[in-house]
Amino acid sequence: MINYIKVFKHLFFIPFFIISSCNLFKSNKVPSSDIKSASSWSSNDEKPSFNECEDLDKKESFNCFESIVSESILKYISEEIIEVNGEIDEEINIVINVDKEGFFSLLSIDASDFVKNSIQGIDEIIENAVYNIPQALPAVKVNVEEYVNTKFELPIRILSQESL
């Protein structure tokens, strides 16, 4: 005959043991300073790149990346017919985002009112030029092995002269 009291005692203690040893009830709070330092850009992280730049060292690779971005924007702008009112010799700054999939988008344009008034549609021209940059290899945050969005600033010098 089975001793039900002994079986009951064992069944009672087994679930209690499982529940009391469970780690689901522990709270692991990570300090915000640790999160900030882990998410800060480090020299080990990989900046966005293009396939053509992959076999170069880090500095040369980023120079190659900047060159491809600049040439792509210049090529697009040079193919546009742009009307300019007056002479211009100014630098504008654009902020570009490279998303987790390597696509480019324009975040902002810092241009004087003079430039904006002298070149009709400059915002749209630059935005289209940025969207026409070929897809890149996205930046990688190495410590978490994740693709990340990155942004960078690119200066553009605008020179125009009145034709004779």
Side-chain angles (χ1 to χ4, degrees), residues 66 69-70 73 92-96 133 152-156:
E66 285 180 323
V69 169
S70 296
I73 290 173
I92 66 172
N93 287 303
I94 62 174
V95 179
I96 298 173
I133 299 170
F152 62 96
E153 192 171 314
L154 181 69
I156 299 176

Side-chain angles (χ1 to χ4, degrees), residues 96-158:
I96 298 173
N97 182 64
V98 183
D99 70 16
K100 295 176 185 180
E101 295 176 359
F103 293 106
F104 291 80
S105 60
L106 180 66
L107 297 177
S108 67
I109 300 174
D110 182 19
S112 70
D113 288 338
F114 177 73
V115 169
K116 288 182 178 184
N117 292 332
S118 297
I119 304 173
Q120 292 292 327
I122 188 168
D123 291 352
E124 184 179 338
I125 292 167
I126 300 227
E127 185 172 22
N128 289 336
V130 169
Y131 285 123
N132 278 289
I133 299 170
Q135 184 178 4
L137 303 169
V140 178
K141 188 76 177 112
V142 174
N143 63 337
V144 290
E145 297 181 15
E146 288 287 327
Y147 294 125
V148 293
N149 292 337
T150 54
K151 66 179 180 178
F152 62 96
E153 192 171 314
L154 181 69
I156 299 176
R157 184 124 203 108
I158 298 178

Side-chain angles (χ1 to χ4, degrees), residues 23-154:
N23 288 329
L24 294 175
F25 301 108
K26 286 186 179 178
S27 174
N28 293 331
K29 189 166 186 172
V30 178
S32 61
S33 61
D34 289 353
I35 293 171
K36 188 173 183 176
S37 74
S39 61
S40 296
W41 195 261
S42 78
S43 60
N44 295 331
D45 295 329
E46 296 175 17
K47 295 178 180 178
S49 186
F50 290 101
N51 285 328
E52 303 92 284
C53 308
E54 280 297 286
D55 293 333
L56 305 172
D57 69 36
K58 281 191 175 197
K59 185 174 181 171
E60 289 175 344
S61 177
F62 193 69
N63 288 341
C64 175
F65 172 81
E66 285 180 323
S67 177
I68 291 172
V69 169
S70 296
E71 288 172 11
S72 177
I73 290 173
L74 182 62
K75 182 178 186 283
Y76 180 87
I77 290 173
S78 67
E79 292 173 354
E80 288 289 304
I81 298 173
I82 301 171
E83 283 192 38
V84 180
N85 301 325
E87 292 185 12
I88 300 174
D89 182 3
E90 287 194 35
E91 186 174 278
I92 66 172
N93 287 303
I94 62 174
V95 179
I96 298 173
N97 182 64
V98 183
D99 70 16
K100 295 176 185 180
E101 295 176 359
F103 293 106
F104 291 80
S105 60
L106 180 66
L107 297 177
S108 67
I109 300 174
D110 182 19
S112 70
D113 288 338
F114 177 73
V115 169
K116 288 182 178 184
N117 292 332
S118 297
I119 304 173
Q120 292 292 327
I122 188 168
D123 291 352
E124 184 179 338
I125 292 167
I126 300 227
E127 185 172 22
N128 289 336
V130 169
Y131 285 123
N132 278 289
I133 299 170
Q135 184 178 4
L137 303 169
V140 178
K141 188 76 177 112
V142 174
N143 63 337
V144 290
E145 297 181 15
E146 288 287 327
Y147 294 125
V148 293
N149 292 337
T150 54
K151 66 179 180 178
F152 62 96
E153 192 171 314
L154 181 69

